[in-house]
Amino acid sequence: MNVISVQNNLGLPKYKQIILSIEKAIEEEKLVKGDRLPSVNKVCLAFSLSRDTVLQGYDELKKRGIIYAIPGKGYYVKSVETTIKHKVFLLFDELNIFKEDIYNSFLKNIGKNVQVDIFFHHFNLQVFQKLINDSNGNYTKYIIMPTDLTDLVDAIKTLPVNEVIILDQTNPDLKVYPAIYQNHKKDIFEGLLKGKTRLSKYKKLILIFPGSKEPLGMKLGFEDFCTQYHFEYEIIREFTDREITIGDLYIIPNDRDLVKVIEDAGNQNLKLGSDFGIISYNETPLKKIVANGITTISTHFEAMGEILAEMVLRGSKAQIENKSSLIMRNSL
């Protein structure tokens, strides 16, 4: 019991005194890796504490990866890295250049005293559920990118409600959680509206929307814009066995389809920006130079990572809509 000190009238919650005592004992090497901590019952009796108070302190250390529990045996020192103040579970749908920008920005802004473990569910509900179940109770924060997966709310609800942040896409069932998200319906509508003068020279607007990974809001926003402003439009699932017609404008969420359209245009000897147009979704450095510049509608991914880090560090409960913009280039 000499490694734990709890005092009355100290002005510090008693569970935090337990945490600080154990951290100090580790720093002074009174506790080393593998050592067993005093049992919950012993701490309760020694300092006249409730089990909930002691468990709150031990659970916080467990989530930070400093101690671990063996059912029926007790708590043991797992790591002597007491500087880790947050241990973050970060669940992305997949790794691409946009997610990499979010991730790198998040790491840059989160600081050195935070451990971040990254996972991917690849749009698979079973993988999503397993990752959530396996991680539950082992982290101080859970950052979840749910995408458009259905039937995932029950899995998320098993996590501590105050430790979850929703990233990139949200929905009414997840409104209880803080979030930093894209409003895809609004973003594409306002992006097209900003470029409306240039859009007017095209005969037809064509959205390539496979619908497997792309947010539904993107399609809805496109339809609303074309209907409200009387543009002829078409939505196709893929760009195959199709000729580009002079006067077509393609809105392309997927970069593989972007390459196909540009290649086919070259085979047809069509000039991008005059014979036909392209608006790509999501900004990348290459789009500044490919085909003399590709116009994009894109959220600010680095800003998303920065805001996410701030939410973790400050314990924010806000729901923040990330900004998006139309970046005009020669393809429009």
Side-chain angles (χ1 to χ4, degrees):
M1 293 303 301
N2 62 342
V3 299
I4 293 179
S5 174
V6 178
Q7 301 176 40
N8 294 319
N9 304 316
L10 195 62
L12 188 69
K14 291 179 180 179
Y15 83 92
K16 287 191 176 181
Q17 292 185 46
I18 293 171
I19 293 171
L20 292 174
S21 295
I22 293 172
E23 287 179 340
K24 183 178 180 182
I26 291 172
E27 290 164 5
E28 293 177 352
E29 298 185 353
K30 293 178 181 178
L31 285 173
V32 297
K33 189 173 180 180
D35 279 356
R36 183 178 178 180
L37 271 63
S39 73
V40 173
N41 287 338
K42 285 184 178 179
V43 179
C44 289
L45 290 171
F47 301 105
S48 300
L49 301 175
S50 69
R51 284 183 61 83
D52 287 345
T53 297
V54 181
L55 286 171
Q56 187 175 3
Y58 278 16
D59 284 348
E60 178 71 22
L61 291 166
K62 180 175 176 284
K63 291 172 183 176
R64 288 166 53 192
I66 295 172
I67 67 174
Y68 68 99
I70 299 178
K73 292 188 176 182
Y75 291 84
Y76 297 81
V77 177
K78 181 179 181 180
S79 171
V80 295
E81 293 295 332
T82 58
T83 57
I84 299 298
K85 299 304 178 185
H86 279 292
K87 191 179 175 190
V88 177
F89 173 83
L90 179 59
L91 180 56
F92 278 176
D93 48 19
E94 64 180 357
L95 182 61
N96 55 36
I97 191 168
F98 322 121
K99 310 298 164 47
E100 188 176 347
D101 286 345
I102 296 173
Y103 178 66
N104 288 336
S105 177
F106 179 66
L107 290 184
K108 177 182 176 182
N109 290 281
I110 198 65
K112 295 181 179 179
N113 297 332
V114 177
Q115 176 182 326
V116 181
D117 295 342
I118 186 169
F119 302 87
F120 303 92
H121 59 72
H122 301 289
F123 304 91
N124 184 305
L125 180 60
Q126 286 71 39
V127 172
F128 183 95
Q129 291 171 329
K130 185 177 188 306
L131 289 170
I132 294 292
N133 291 337
D134 291 349
S135 70
N136 200 342
N138 296 324
Y139 294 88
T140 61
K141 289 292 179 184
Y142 300 84
I143 300 171
I144 311 293
M145 185 178 285
T147 63
D148 278 337
L149 281 175
T150 56
D151 301 323
L152 51 72
V153 176
D154 287 342
I156 295 176
K157 283 182 177 179
T158 64
L159 299 171
V161 65
N162 293 323
E163 297 170 5
V164 174
I165 299 175
I166 301 300
L167 175 63
D168 193 46
Q169 294 186 57
T170 189
N171 61 61
D173 293 329
L174 299 173
K175 287 296 184 182
V176 67
Y177 301 107
I180 170 71
Y181 65 95
Q182 298 185 65
N183 186 335
H184 293 280
K185 182 177 179 179
K186 176 183 174 184
D187 291 348
I188 195 166
F189 185 97
E190 292 188 349
L192 294 174
L193 182 60
K194 186 176 179 181
K196 181 173 173 291
T197 301
R198 294 200 190 185
L199 294 179
S200 298
K201 73 178 185 179
Y202 295 97
K203 297 176 182 177
K204 181 191 258 188
L205 277 55
I206 303 166
L207 173 66
I208 304 177
F209 190 79
S212 56
K213 300 178 181 180
E214 295 75 17
L216 180 61
M218 189 184 299
K219 177 184 175 183
L220 298 176
F222 173 76
E223 290 175 326
D224 284 354
F225 174 82
C226 293
T227 301
Q228 184 170 333
Y229 291 99
H230 309 292
F231 281 90
E232 182 182 350
Y233 72 94
E234 183 180 1
I235 299 173
I236 59 176
R237 292 185 62 88
E238 57 185 357
F239 185 83
T240 54
D241 301 322
R242 183 185 182 98
E243 283 198 352
I244 300 170
T245 301
I246 291 177
D248 285 347
L249 170 68
Y250 284 88
I251 293 91
I252 310 175
N254 188 295
D255 284 353
R256 293 182 185 276
D257 290 318
L258 175 63
V259 172
K260 289 180 185 177
V261 172
I262 292 174
E263 285 180 339
D264 279 24
N267 293 334
Q268 293 181 232
N269 294 317
L270 297 177
K271 185 176 180 182
L272 179 59
S274 56
D275 294 331
F276 77 107
I278 287 177
I279 298 176
S280 179
Y281 211 85
N282 292 327
E283 176 69 358
T284 67
L286 279 175
K287 291 173 187 177
K288 299 176 184 179
I289 56 175
V290 168
N292 203 27
I294 302 294
T295 296
T296 61
I297 296 173
S298 183
T299 197
H300 300 267
F301 294 106
E302 290 186 3
M304 185 175 281
E306 183 177 349
I307 294 168
L308 182 62
E310 185 176 338
M311 292 179 75
V312 170
L313 295 174
R314 295 190 178 184
S316 172
K317 303 301 180 186
Q319 293 193 343
I320 301 170
E321 183 178 304
N322 204 47
K323 293 181 179 179
S324 177
S325 59
L326 174 71
I327 303 171
M328 198 78 74
R329 297 196 180 101
N330 292 325
S331 70
L332 184 62

